[in-house]
Amino acid sequence: MTILDQLNEDMKEAMRNKEKQRLLVIRSVKSSIQNESINKGKELTDDEILTVLNREMKQRKESLHEFEQANRQDLADKTNAEIQILTEYMPSQLTEEELQQVVNETIEEVGAESKADMGKVMGAIMPKVKGRADGSKVKELVQQSLS
């Protein structure tokens, strides 16, 4: 079952169960996917849908951070619930050990030796861990490994 099929099924389920929050999040994500599809002029693959989901997740995490800094716990709670719903559609996250292993293998593959090679390493790693690791965490591990 594709991600889009899963979203459609879950949207119907949320309507039946009158889960307003879940329904709003799914509709929002579907809308973003539809907009991306229109922009590209074709149906999106699961990989492209995953990119849209990552973007939605990142936006919500940034909002959550700002709400917490502004001491708006009500909005932070709402955004946190949205993040939990989106997490269900994301692939499972890599553990730190697994991510470190991917970083080490990639550094070896590209022959990186110093921080000057950071761009090459990041360019090679990100497609491998797409949707399964946070970019800032990957960057942090690459910096540690190259220093």
Side-chain angles (χ1 to χ4, degrees):
M1 179 179 281
T2 66
I3 296 173
L4 195 56
D5 291 340
Q6 185 65 47
L7 284 167
N8 286 328
E9 287 300 312
D10 290 350
M11 186 172 76
K12 291 174 191 172
E13 187 75 24
M15 279 187 228
R16 272 184 239 134
N17 297 336
K18 297 184 180 6
E19 298 174 85
K20 289 182 181 179
Q21 177 81 16
R22 185 175 189 76
L23 186 58
L24 282 171
V25 172
I26 293 172
R27 281 184 173 158
S28 168
V29 169
K30 283 190 54 148
S31 175
S32 295
I33 292 169
Q34 185 68 31
N35 288 338
E36 188 74 16
S37 178
I38 290 169
N39 288 342
K40 291 194 176 207
K42 65 179 182 74
E43 287 293 314
L44 300 181
T45 64
D46 267 0
D47 228 21
E48 292 167 324
I49 290 174
L50 195 56
T51 302
V52 174
L53 284 171
N54 276 327
R55 190 177 328 130
E56 291 288 317
M57 182 72 85
K58 185 175 181 181
Q59 286 173 351
R60 282 170 175 82
K61 284 183 179 177
E62 289 170 357
S63 296
L64 178 64
H65 179 70
E66 296 205 6
F67 292 148
E68 287 172 345
Q69 285 194 334
N71 222 9
R72 290 294 309 266
Q73 196 56 44
D74 56 332
L75 295 174
D77 291 342
K78 180 178 180 269
T79 305
N80 222 350
E82 291 178 7
I83 289 171
Q84 294 305 314
I85 293 167
L86 279 177
T87 303
E88 297 172 23
Y89 301 101
M90 304 295 285
S92 60
Q93 297 293 299
L94 294 171
T95 64
E96 188 152 346
E97 293 80 29
E98 291 170 329
L99 189 55
Q100 186 65 56
Q101 185 178 354
V102 171
V103 168
N104 293 340
E105 289 170 1
T106 307
I107 287 173
E108 214 171 281
E109 282 174 22
V110 297
E113 297 172 3
S114 69
K115 286 193 178 193
D117 299 322
M118 179 124 177
K120 284 195 300 188
V121 175
M122 290 298 290
I125 286 180
M126 290 315 287
K128 292 179 184 178
V129 298
K130 187 176 193 171
R132 299 184 310 146
D134 183 43
S136 59
K137 185 66 181 168
V138 173
K139 180 182 173 191
E140 181 184 314
L141 289 175
V142 169
Q143 284 177 333
Q144 287 174 2
S145 298
L146 290 177
S147 59

